[in-house]
Amino acid sequence: MTSPQAVVVGGGLAGIAAAVAVAKAGIETLHLSPKGPPDRRTSALMQPSVAYLQSVGLVNDPAAIGQPLTQIRIIDATGRLVRAPETLFDSRDAGLAAFGWNFPNVKLLESFDAGRTGLTNLRTLELSVTGLERVADGWRLELGDGSTVTAPFVVGADGKKSLVRVAADFRARENGFTEAALVCDLELGRPLGGASVEFHYPRGPFTLVPAGGRRANLVWIDDRDVLKAAQAEGPDALQRIFIDKSQHLFGDIKLLTPAHMFLLSTLSVDEAGHDGIVLAGEAAHAFPPIGAQGLNLGLRDVADLSAVLAATDVAAPGWAVRASEDYSRRRAADLGRTGVMVDTLFRSLLSELLPTQAMRAGGLWALKLSPQLRKQAFSVGMGVR
Ligand SMILES: Cc1cc2nc3c(=O)[nH]c(=O)nc-3n(C[C@H](O)[C@H](O)[C@H](O)COP(=O)(O)OP(=O)(O)OC[C@H]3O[C@@H](n4cnc5c(N)ncnc54)[C@H](O)[C@@H]3O)c2cc1C
């Protein structure tokens, strides 16, 4: 395939899903997926995302690679004057067997990889993009081995620092936080069952997500320096910190993997597509891992990309530009809504302002007491459209 109709840049979860979606639309596709370090994160994917992955054959049996999430338990550990009640959300209140599933990203990547077999119009190269420029018949991409490739349609799924986004002049706003996220796998003295347990501390949540049996995945958000200092103290000290932070509710805690730190920021773009280029996944949006939204939103990007391409006549002149504009229009509301929701949640948690703390506590009381409000919150959080 010397001149593909589309190039998908990025070998993360959004990139592979996008490459499969573009190829399944019958388009000659080149996927540029350089090898990187293993992705040690885990992803809580809500039921609509899992249903989408099953429908396109990227995940066959969620139970074979993940754990169901049936409850979300929120414990206010802020010690503030106005505190929220302990709140338990149960998937049965939303009429569901589970809110979603928690997957290790490495298992999802394996499953996504298996999902691309048999697509003869999809070719993958382990090469990165080093440059991108507009040419008469689309976009010319310079590749890591010095070669070039030209295509009318390009999908930038090359992560938060996206070269595609920058080179194609997408306007983006990025805000760095002093907080970071520490992640690792733990063995608890007592199992979580299907409950994801969030302890809300003043600088961010300390969240234990079920990973099967007595295993849990930890996502601890706190000031970057606090996390660095904790990490530097070594595994024994970390285990003691984790026991304290989990308020001794789960007994002894053993560290199963080294702890890794991720810097946090928000990123949003004014538009997700123009001139034959579209952005998907963290190339288009990033925010702190609160309320499990990042990859869920990335998969909604891919689902919309599929829908746009299915409605596009790729034999007609100018199809790529039209598809990128349709995609941009289609994604605008979801990207705006989800970004505002996560930002508001995160800032309300960190806020030192008493009225904001009162509003957050009041909001959780209202959710605790009103089944109707809980149902609405479930729909928004799960990205039901
Ligand atoms: C601690 C933490 C916990 C999270 N938990 C959840 C969760 O529970 N649920 C959820 O929905 N989301 C979660 N997220 C968010 C989720 O992990 C991300 O949204 C998702 O993994 C982003 O995938 P991506 O493919 O867009 O980007 P990435 O995974 O960053 O992939 C980008 C890819 O592009 C490649 N690339 C970069 N530059 C180039 C180039 N020039 N040429 C070619 N390739 C290039 C990279 O090698 C990489 O493979 C979490 C995030 C963090 C930090």
Side-chain angles (χ1 to χ4, degrees):
M1 189 203 316
T2 41
S3 301
Q5 292 170 293
V7 178
V8 178
V9 186
L13 289 163
I16 306 181
V20 168
V22 177
K24 282 200 168 173
I27 292 171
E28 289 295 326
T29 309
L30 174 63
H31 183 204
L32 299 171
S33 171
K35 270 223 170 329
D39 187 340
R40 299 176 195 284
R41 294 169 289 186
T42 55
S43 296
L45 293 184
M46 299 301 159
Q47 214 56 273
S49 300
V50 178
Y52 169 73
L53 292 174
Q54 287 182 286
S55 73
V56 293
L58 291 175
V59 166
N60 290 322
D61 177 12
I65 54 170
Q67 291 299 315
L69 298 171
T70 55
Q71 292 181 323
I72 298 167
R73 185 175 170 192
I74 296 178
I75 297 169
D76 189 338
T78 55
R80 286 169 177 156
L81 199 57
V82 195
R83 287 171 62 186
E86 177 169 330
T87 316
L88 182 74
F89 300 104
D90 196 301
S91 60
R92 283 170 304 188
D93 293 347
L96 298 166
F99 288 118
W101 296 77
N102 182 39
F103 300 105
N105 284 9
V106 283
K107 293 264 182 212
L108 275 182
L109 280 162
E110 277 170 24
S111 180
F112 282 23
D113 265 338
R116 65 172 140 198
T117 44
L119 289 169
T120 50
N121 58 337
L122 172 60
R123 181 178 166 208
T124 302
L125 293 176
E126 284 182 6
L127 288 174
S128 56
V129 173
T130 54
L132 176 82
E133 66 169 332
R134 190 88 171 103
V135 289
D137 48 351
W139 292 88
R140 181 162 54 226
L141 297 96
E142 284 163 30
L143 310 189
D145 64 353
S147 64
T148 60
V149 63
T150 302
F153 193 66
V154 174
V155 180
D158 48 343
K160 227 195 270 194
K161 296 197 170 88
S162 172
L163 178 146
V164 172
R165 183 185 66 234
V166 175
D169 272 339
F170 280 88
R171 270 193 31 179
R173 283 172 304 281
E174 188 164 12
N175 246 323
F177 290 110
T178 53
E179 288 80 11
L182 190 92
V183 304
C184 57
D185 294 352
L186 304 174
E187 187 177 274
L188 310 178
R190 281 186 283 280
L192 293 168
S196 169
V197 183
E198 296 181 16
F199 298 87
H200 284 193
Y201 283 94
R203 295 307 297 270
F206 177 93
T207 305
L208 296 168
V209 192
R214 286 193 288 123
R215 289 173 69 108
N217 303 126
L218 170 68
V219 182
W220 172 20
I221 296 180
D222 208 316
D223 191 84
R224 202 181 293 177
D225 294 334
V226 170
L227 296 181
K228 260 192 208 148
Q231 210 176 7
E233 282 190 54
D236 290 345
L238 269 181
Q239 286 173 180
R240 283 195 300 276
I241 294 172
F242 295 163
I243 294 169
D244 278 349
K245 288 253 166 206
S246 59
Q247 304 189 344
H248 299 256
L249 286 180
F250 301 100
D252 219 14
I253 292 185
K254 218 168 88 188
L255 205 63
L256 297 179
T257 58
H260 292 274
M261 214 162 88
F262 292 85
L263 301 182
L264 302 183
S265 60
T266 53
L267 181 135
S268 59
V269 286
D270 284 354
E271 51 179 1
H274 64 213
D275 293 330
I277 297 219
V278 300
L279 301 175
E282 286 204 334
H285 46 75
F287 25 72
I290 305 259
Q293 292 296 322
L295 183 59
N296 283 285
L297 188 60
L299 293 173
R300 298 209 290 279
D301 295 338
V302 176
D304 271 349
L305 179 59
S306 276
V308 164
L309 294 176
T312 302
D313 175 4
V314 299
W319 71 268
V321 171
R322 262 195 316 282
S324 66
E325 290 168 356
D326 285 354
Y327 174 82
S328 181
R329 267 193 298 277
R330 222 178 155 109
R331 294 306 298 139
D334 192 18
L335 293 187
R337 191 171 46 232
T338 310
V340 168
M341 178 179 88
V342 178
D343 202 47
T344 310
L345 263 173
F346 194 48
R347 287 181 197 278
S348 77
L349 192 58
L350 303 188
S351 179
E352 294 299 332
L353 292 171
L354 204 57
T356 315
Q357 291 173 13
M359 267 167 62
R360 177 179 162 272
L364 280 170
W365 269 113
L367 288 175
K368 189 178 167 79
L369 297 174
S370 162
Q372 192 51 38
L373 269 182
R374 268 209 304 278
K375 267 201 168 148
Q376 280 173 17
F378 292 152
S379 298
V380 175
M382 292 174 70
V384 174
R385 296 193 275 180

